Amino acid sequence: MRAARWHIPFVSREDILGSATAAALLVIAAVAAIYGFKTYSNFGFDRNWDCMDPGHGEPVCVKKIPGS
C-alpha cells in the first residue's frame, strides 16, 4: 500500500522548511524586542536619582537616600 504524498508544484521541502525557520526567527526577535531589551534610562541625571516614566506627561525623578 502506497502512502499518500502531497505534491505542491514549484515548492520544495527546503522552501517550506526555510519559510518556517524564517517565521520562527521573526517571532523570537519580536518577543525579544518587546520583553527582553528593556533599558533603564535616567533622563540625564546621575545614578543618585531614580527616574520613572509614568506613561503620560514628563518623567518623575526622585533623589535616592544616601547609603541605600
Side-chain angles (χ1 to χ4, degrees):
M1 189 167 171
R2 294 183 66 193
R5 297 185 105 201
W6 289 41
H7 178 69
I8 303 172
F10 306 113
V11 178
S12 67
R13 178 181 294 168
E14 290 82 16
D15 293 336
I16 295 171
L17 290 175
S19 298
T21 303
L25 289 175
L26 285 174
V27 168
I28 291 170
V31 169
I34 293 171
Y35 294 110
F37 300 126
K38 292 184 179 179
T39 59
Y40 177 76
S41 177
N42 63 0
F43 301 100
F45 292 100
D46 62 3
R47 60 183 77 160
N48 293 328
W49 291 81
D50 278 330
C51 297
M52 295 190 316
D53 188 10
H56 61 281
E58 294 185 12
V60 176
C61 297
V62 179
K63 190 165 185 160
K64 292 182 183 177
I65 299 172
S68 62

